[in-house]
Amino acid sequence: MGGSDPFPVTVSSLHFPSAELQSVSQTLSSLRRSALSLTNRLRSIETDATFAQEVADHYDLPLVANERCGSWYIPPDAKSGSTYFKSTDGHTGQWDFSFRRLNLQILPVARAHGGCIIVDSTRRGKFINRALFPSDSAYHPVQFPPNFLGASEESQIERRIDGFVKSLTDLKLDLIHLRQQLGKPIRVAWANRSYFYPTDLHKGTEYNLFVLCSASKRVQGAEISEGGYIQGAGDDSESWAHGLTPPVFWANKSTFFQTDEEDLPRLIEKLVDENRKPDSTQNATLVAPTQNLYISQTDSCMSEVPYDLVIDCNANQESSEDSSKRLNLGCGSSKLGGRDLRNHLDKVRAFVNSQLRADPSRSLLVTCESGKDLSAGVLLTILCLFYDDSGAFSSPTERNITKQFIRQRLAWIVSSKYDVNPSRTTLQSVNAFLMQRPEY
């Protein structure tokens, strides 16, 4: 062999062309990206949706989505409603009562069907029974998933329940009406891929059964070991969906599965554009118990609306200067808009005072780009300043506006439009404005 070694005997004598050299971490990252492909996500969603339907069939109860993730796992024609819990609700130490997410909209659904299946739900303890059915003490103990929480965590949650009950009753909602909407106390069960618990628990004559369903299969290792299955495939859709929504997915499911991965973004763009519906202020929501205050997402054709007065939180201020019936605030988007709002609420107060004091029967529509954030903050300000406990307009007075009073008025908005979710920044702006000394 010419005196040379036929085989390399040291690491330094090994030669790898630089173009072929790839680190282990780069290889794993590439494999993970492949496992988390859009096709794998959509097929995983279909798999989880099949399980959710099996749970619904088992209990003979309707499916309710915990937005936003839960809607991926329920075809639109099988979806009976929505709840809104934050992703952190129920996490260790995150046991609280949300004034922005009352979820009272599912009470009539439960009464009509004897309960419901909440898909991708919180594990939080329920306290509604103590508030609405104080004499039915058999349903007052907190109901926990079996063999899931430690004794200390269960004890900490139990100690908070009476405080949650007080928080709800302090909102001064019509509890008699809510009790009528629900009809019977709530009993809770859980369902995941390991069990339907308890297996013999079905709708009862004495209670409404709420089944909290975790649609996704538990993955022990990484996705690359699951043959393409992705746990929680519908989570965080902004990062992977390219604008795809659950209704568009379910309406075109077979088309997606017949399309190559690299062509999916273009297909999504095309289908989303075809299914985009113009906004309509005809879908504005009346904020009860008032008879004239409405909230909606801003319409693209706001020049002609069937309301006497309009406040648009985002539209350019100059475009409303020639109209006494319209007030444009010119707030920015998202958190920036919430901070802007504080500088414009004095204009809202002056506008409402001048327009509704002359004729309190005039209808007033408040809009923003989402119909859920800034518009809710403006309406909250109006309700606190100008509306009495019966929902009637009253001339502004130096009311004793406290945080609890603000929460009570916010409950009117949340109970009327269930997806309203004013940001913390928006609520901070409203609180700061309302709790300073008013000037009329």
Side-chain angles (χ1 to χ4, degrees), residues 311-328:
I311 298 177
D312 189 324
C313 299
N314 301 109
N316 185 275
Q317 297 180 64
E318 286 74 18
S319 61
S320 67
E321 290 179 349
D322 296 333
S323 174
S324 62
K325 309 301 183 185
R326 172 183 292 274
L327 175 64
N328 293 345

Side-chain angles (χ1 to χ4, degrees), residues 255-308:
T255 303
F256 285 116
F257 293 150
Q258 295 169 9
T259 303
D260 292 337
E261 177 76 20
E262 60 269 22
D263 296 326
L264 283 176
R266 287 191 297 274
L267 175 63
I268 290 171
E269 182 180 6
K270 174 178 176 291
L271 292 175
V272 169
D273 187 63
E274 290 176 355
N275 287 272
R276 185 174 287 114
K277 297 178 181 179
D279 299 326
S280 174
T281 54
Q282 298 298 327
N283 294 326
T285 301
L286 174 67
V287 178
T290 78
Q291 299 298 312
N292 69 323
L293 296 185
Y294 296 82
I295 182 173
S296 84
Q297 186 176 9
T298 302
D299 194 289
S300 58
C301 302
M302 290 294 294
S303 57
E304 297 181 8
V305 294
Y307 301 95
D308 300 316

Side-chain angles (χ1 to χ4, degrees), residues 194-266:
S194 301
Y195 60 81
F196 293 172
Y197 177 84
T199 56
D200 61 346
L201 185 62
H202 286 71
K203 291 184 293 187
T205 58
E206 303 301 324
Y207 57 82
N208 290 301
L209 179 61
F210 279 46
V211 181
L212 310 184
C213 172
S214 178
S216 293
K217 180 175 65 175
R218 179 82 178 271
V219 173
Q220 299 296 335
E223 288 82 1
I224 57 177
S225 65
E226 293 293 322
Y229 177 79
I230 300 172
Q231 179 179 349
D235 288 345
D236 193 24
S237 58
E238 292 87 351
S239 66
W240 60 263
H242 300 277
L244 181 64
T245 62
V248 175
F249 163 65
W250 285 105
N252 301 276
K253 180 165 65 74
S254 60
T255 303
F256 285 116
F257 293 150
Q258 295 169 9
T259 303
D260 292 337
E261 177 76 20
E262 60 269 22
D263 296 326
L264 283 176
R266 287 191 297 274

Side-chain angles (χ1 to χ4, degrees), residues 98-406:
S98 174
F99 296 99
R100 292 183 288 172
R101 297 300 200 191
L102 297 179
N103 290 308
L104 302 176
Q105 68 275 14
I106 61 172
L107 302 187
V109 175
R111 179 179 182 127
H113 299 277
C116 61
I117 313 286
I118 302 179
V119 179
D120 186 33
S121 62
T122 175
R123 73 182 190 215
R124 213 164 42 165
K126 303 298 175 183
F127 61 91
I128 202 79
N129 288 341
R130 296 192 195 182
L132 301 188
F133 302 94
S135 61
D136 291 332
S137 56
Y139 293 96
H140 289 183
V142 185
Q143 300 163 56
F144 295 107
N147 305 317
F148 191 77
L149 303 179
S152 174
E153 190 169 352
E154 289 188 356
S155 176
Q156 292 177 67
I157 293 173
E158 285 177 331
R159 288 197 296 269
R160 296 196 182 193
I161 300 301
D162 286 337
F164 297 162
V165 174
K166 184 177 185 304
S167 295
L168 178 61
T169 55
D170 284 349
L171 293 179
K172 296 184 178 180
L173 297 170
D174 188 344
L175 297 186
I176 295 176
H177 175 63
L178 295 179
R179 182 164 59 246
Q180 292 171 343
Q181 284 189 309
L182 182 57
K184 296 176 290 189
I186 295 170
R187 185 169 180 180
V188 179
W190 288 264
N192 63 30
R193 297 299 182 90
S194 301
Y195 60 81
F196 293 172
Y197 177 84
T199 56
D200 61 346
L201 185 62
H202 286 71
K203 291 184 293 187
T205 58
E206 303 301 324
Y207 57 82
N208 290 301
L209 179 61
F210 279 46
V211 181
L212 310 184
C213 172
S214 178
S216 293
K217 180 175 65 175
R218 179 82 178 271
V219 173
Q220 299 296 335
E223 288 82 1
I224 57 177
S225 65
E226 293 293 322
Y229 177 79
I230 300 172
Q231 179 179 349
D235 288 345
D236 193 24
S237 58
E238 292 87 351
S239 66
W240 60 263
H242 300 277
L244 181 64
T245 62
V248 175
F249 163 65
W250 285 105
N252 301 276
K253 180 165 65 74
S254 60
T255 303
F256 285 116
F257 293 150
Q258 295 169 9
T259 303
D260 292 337
E261 177 76 20
E262 60 269 22
D263 296 326
L264 283 176
R266 287 191 297 274
L267 175 63
I268 290 171
E269 182 180 6
K270 174 178 176 291
L271 292 175
V272 169
D273 187 63
E274 290 176 355
N275 287 272
R276 185 174 287 114
K277 297 178 181 179
D279 299 326
S280 174
T281 54
Q282 298 298 327
N283 294 326
T285 301
L286 174 67
V287 178
T290 78
Q291 299 298 312
N292 69 323
L293 296 185
Y294 296 82
I295 182 173
S296 84
Q297 186 176 9
T298 302
D299 194 289
S300 58
C301 302
M302 290 294 294
S303 57
E304 297 181 8
V305 294
Y307 301 95
D308 300 316
L309 306 168
V310 175
I311 298 177
D312 189 324
C313 299
N314 301 109
N316 185 275
Q317 297 180 64
E318 286 74 18
S319 61
S320 67
E321 290 179 349
D322 296 333
S323 174
S324 62
K325 309 301 183 185
R326 172 183 292 274
L327 175 64
N328 293 345
L329 301 183
C331 293
S333 301
S334 303
K335 289 184 178 180
L336 179 60
R339 288 192 290 269
D340 288 343
L341 191 61
R342 186 177 307 194
N343 300 321
H344 298 290
L345 290 176
D346 56 341
K347 302 173 190 174
V348 171
R349 178 174 57 193
F351 178 78
V352 173
N353 188 39
S354 64
Q355 294 293 336
L356 290 185
R357 184 167 58 178
D359 183 359
S361 67
R362 287 174 175 168
S363 58
L364 169 60
L365 172 68
V366 182
T367 77
C368 68
E369 59 187 358
S370 69
K372 303 174 184 180
D373 185 7
L374 299 182
S375 52
V378 169
L379 272 172
L380 179 57
T381 303
I382 294 170
L383 288 170
C384 289
L385 291 176
F386 297 101
Y387 281 76
D388 62 24
D389 289 343
S390 69
F393 180 87
S394 61
S395 297
T397 58
E398 292 192 17
R399 300 179 181 180
N400 180 27
I401 296 179
T402 63
K403 287 186 177 180
Q404 183 58 37
F405 181 81
I406 296 172

